[in-house]
Amino acid sequence: MMDTGCWRWTLVLVVVLLSIYAEASFSRHMDDFIKVVTRLEDEDPRSNPAAILKKLRRAAGLNDAFIQHFLGDAGAGGPEIGANLSVYIRKAVHHRVTEDGEEHGVVLTPDGTTVALMPLLLGIEAGYLPRAKGAVQTLYQLTLTKDLRFSSKHKSPHTKLLGPDGCWDSVTSPRVFTLLDSPSMLTTAQLNGGMDGVILGMEARSRRPLRLSRLLMEYYCTQLESKGLDAAPRLISRCRRDNFRGLTSPPMLTRQVVKSLELQRKLAGKSKMVGKEKKQLMALVRAGVREFVHEYMDCPPIIPRCMWGAQPYRGTPTNLSLPLSFLYIHHTSTPGKPCLTFQQCSADMRSMQRFHQEDRGWNDIGYSFVAGSDGYIYEGRSWLWQGAHTLGHNSIGYGVSFIGDYMIHLPSQHSMGLVRDRLTSCAVGGGRLTANFTIQGHRQVVTTSCPGDALYNEIKGWEHFGEVDQHIQRKKSHEQTKM
């Protein structure tokens, strides 16, 4: 008969093996996290979403004083989650950034963006609170404003307060997410999760979905039809920034950041801020909120090069001298159809880069940015590197292309709005385009049918559209050798 010590070690081994199995079975993809939520719901069909969310919070160890102030103690109550899922949940939800730049507690969503689960789940759980307790400020303090801490060390105009984004080791089976730069107070994944937490928390308050998994699937996994976002449901992750913009305002965000800081001081037993200290804090918070509004509400969501699988730039890029004065509009012609998914848009980007590098002998994909019909802008040579999009004009303007052939049909209204309104606003606000910049079609300065008859006729009605200035200095010979 096995003694007590052997049984104990056997039990430990079983737990370890189950944990390893859970880690191997589920990647850091939102689809896999939804499978875990579905399993929890199926194991206890009588549990409502609030109970499932409390289980997840308990398994993830999200139970500090600040969270308990709003949501109560998650330490006990209801059936426990099995050992084979607890380790996965804790690693998938508990957020941290390591010294070597790996961000944990984030998942890749089907639309190609990365989301921190902690603020997402806290926001949704707050949405299920009874009306008397579930004030809107609870949503903001649990999701975003608690961690929007600004201090005097961030006064330098060259220091980013928010971001960065990052790259997954694999987009088919994501396990490791590495930041593209040094982390600030809130990474892009945290901000995505925070905005989603507010949006879905508000949705839970209004319609009380019966299953958490259904709410997550509708938001993250809805597939677009041929008209793209023009005919899509309102409540999907691709519309994150639009939806969040409709729910908030800079003054309200500023108030909630200050309230969060005051509550944290109170819970820590510190005295209230008064006089000069509070005025300084308010000034810093307003500046930080302005940066957030610019980067994550005014600017469009941009898929980084690493996420669509870009090959490295060949040689040494030529840096642009900013701000530029022109934005040149293109269509790809080939690929000839709009792309509606992250997977297809990424494949199209790789195909164009191969053509530009291998067939044309250029250093990189020629465009500065490319607009898909999936709700995202794809990073080409981006803001700082001179492109190879508009011969003779690459040094004075950005080249933005729409994936598809637009001789007869137009891109979606949503994708055109991303370029016409959001990308240009982002560029002007970031000092990359002059305020009086000019939009022109490729055909205005090069003999070509690009950007297609339909699209060209459309952009002629855009606010910044302009005719060709014959007196602009040309640098064709120089740019032909710098592609």
Side-chain angles (χ1 to χ4, degrees):
M1 187 172 182
M2 190 176 293
D3 61 26
T4 304
C6 289
W7 275 113
R8 186 179 296 115
W9 281 110
T10 301
L11 181 60
V12 169
L13 179 60
V14 169
V15 170
V16 169
L17 290 175
L18 287 173
S19 299
I20 293 172
Y21 172 76
E23 284 293 288
S25 300
F26 299 110
S27 71
R28 297 299 189 268
H29 198 285
M30 179 60 79
D31 289 348
D32 280 334
F33 181 74
I34 293 174
K35 289 177 185 176
V36 170
V37 173
T38 303
R39 181 182 295 187
L40 296 179
E41 293 169 333
D42 292 343
E43 288 175 354
D44 188 6
R46 292 176 297 179
S47 287
N48 58 33
I52 296 295
L53 286 158
K54 187 175 181 180
K55 281 185 182 181
L56 291 167
R57 179 158 58 97
R58 184 164 62 245
L62 307 180
N63 205 34
D64 61 33
F66 189 91
I67 294 172
Q68 286 192 42
H69 176 82
F70 296 105
L71 301 179
D73 187 3
E80 291 297 320
I81 295 176
N84 61 325
L85 291 182
S86 291
V87 172
Y88 171 80
I89 291 169
R90 184 171 183 85
K91 290 187 175 182
V93 176
H94 192 78
H95 186 269
R96 68 187 181 93
V97 177
T98 66
E99 290 184 357
D100 55 356
E102 289 185 9
E103 186 173 10
H104 296 206
V106 298
V107 295
L108 174 63
T109 67
D111 65 19
T113 57
T114 298
V115 171
L117 288 174
M118 182 173 74
L120 167 66
L121 297 176
L122 292 177
I124 300 174
E125 187 174 353
Y128 281 100
L129 288 173
R131 290 280 178 172
K133 294 182 179 180
V136 172
Q137 71 177 40
T138 300
L139 287 174
Y140 288 93
Q141 294 196 36
L142 284 170
T143 55
L144 279 173
T145 60
K146 171 181 178 290
D147 294 312
L148 280 173
R149 296 187 292 270
F150 306 99
S151 66
S152 58
K153 69 180 180 180
H154 294 114
K155 283 185 178 180
S156 169
H158 304 293
T159 302
K160 285 184 68 67
L161 300 176
L162 304 169
D165 208 334
C167 307
W168 286 96
D169 56 336
S170 166
V171 295
T172 54
S173 183
R175 303 276 176 181
V176 180
F177 187 70
T178 305
L179 296 175
L180 290 167
D181 202 349
S182 300
S184 58
M185 293 161 302
L186 283 174
T187 65
T188 294
Q190 285 178 282
L191 290 162
N192 287 340
M195 288 188 280
D196 289 350
V198 171
I199 294 165
L200 293 183
M202 293 292 287
E203 184 69 10
R205 280 170 56 86
S206 63
R207 71 179 178 96
R208 302 279 170 173
L210 297 178
R211 283 175 71 95
L212 175 62
S213 59
R214 180 66 180 271
L215 178 67
L216 295 174
M217 287 183 67
E218 288 177 354
Y219 187 73
Y220 290 108
C221 305
T222 295
Q223 295 185 352
L224 299 180
E225 297 180 356
S226 60
K227 293 185 178 179
L229 286 178
D230 290 353
R234 172 189 61 85
L235 196 76
I236 58 175
S237 57
R238 294 177 179 89
C239 298
R240 170 185 297 118
R241 298 189 182 197
D242 291 335
N243 285 326
F244 188 76
R245 176 190 288 271
L247 292 173
T248 191
S249 67
M252 191 260 273
L253 278 176
T254 300
R255 288 195 302 272
Q256 295 306 323
V257 172
V258 173
K259 285 180 180 293
S260 294
L261 293 171
E262 289 175 337
L263 176 57
Q264 289 176 78
R265 288 177 70 96
K266 179 180 177 182
L267 293 173
K270 297 180 180 179
S271 60
K272 288 185 177 180
M273 290 176 287
V274 294
K276 184 178 179 181
E277 183 183 14
K278 190 163 185 177
K279 287 183 179 180
Q280 289 177 337
L281 172 67
M282 287 294 293
L284 289 167
V285 169
R286 287 192 188 98
V289 168
R290 280 197 299 270
E291 179 171 324
F292 168 73
V293 169
H294 171 69
E295 292 288 343
Y296 293 92
M297 293 171 69
D298 293 342
C299 290
I302 297 175
I303 301 294
R305 291 169 60 90
C306 59
M307 287 299 297
W308 58 263
Q311 293 298 309
Y313 189 100
R314 295 178 177 178
T316 302
T318 299
N319 288 328
L320 292 164
S321 180
L322 305 180
L324 306 184
S325 299
F326 291 86
L327 186 75
Y328 298 104
I329 301 297
H330 301 250
H331 74 165
T332 62
S333 182
T334 304
K337 293 183 179 180
C339 60
L340 297 170
T341 66
F342 165 65
Q343 290 78 13
Q344 185 59 54
C345 292
S346 296
D348 289 346
M349 292 294 292
R350 293 192 297 271
S351 174
M352 285 187 285
Q353 188 188 40
R354 281 195 302 272
F355 175 69
H356 288 175
Q357 288 184 321
E358 302 299 333
D359 291 51
R360 294 200 167 175
W362 297 351
N363 296 324
D364 197 2
I365 188 170
Y367 306 118
S368 308
F369 295 97
V370 178
S373 292
D374 62 337
Y376 293 100
I377 301 290
Y378 285 75
E379 182 184 32
R381 299 205 192 184
S382 200
W383 299 116
L384 302 180
W385 295 352
Q386 181 174 302
H389 46 80
T390 311
L391 185 63
H393 300 74
N394 294 312
S395 63
I396 60 173
Y398 293 112
V400 180
S401 189
F402 290 83
I403 292 179
D405 185 323
Y406 297 107
M407 288 296 292
I408 299 173
H409 304 288
L410 283 174
S412 70
Q413 292 297 318
H414 188 277
S415 63
M416 288 192 294
L418 281 183
V419 173
R420 181 189 62 235
D421 304 323
R422 296 293 181 82
L423 190 67
T424 56
S425 174
C426 184
V428 172
R432 294 143 180 163
L433 271 180
T434 58
N436 61 341
F437 70 93
T438 300
I439 289 177
Q440 292 180 336
H442 188 194
R443 65 173 63 183
Q444 288 176 263
V445 292
V446 175
T447 303
T448 176
S449 61
C450 179
D453 292 347
L455 181 54
Y456 179 62
N457 288 330
E458 166 71 19
I459 69 171
K460 287 196 289 187
W462 291 6
E463 180 182 355
H464 284 267
F465 179 83
E467 297 299 332
V468 175
D469 184 344
Q470 299 297 333
H471 300 290
I472 294 174
Q473 280 297 154
R474 308 294 192 219
K475 297 183 179 178
K476 290 185 180 181
S477 61
H478 174 69
E479 290 184 5
Q480 280 179 310
T481 63
K482 298 278 188 179
M483 304 299 274

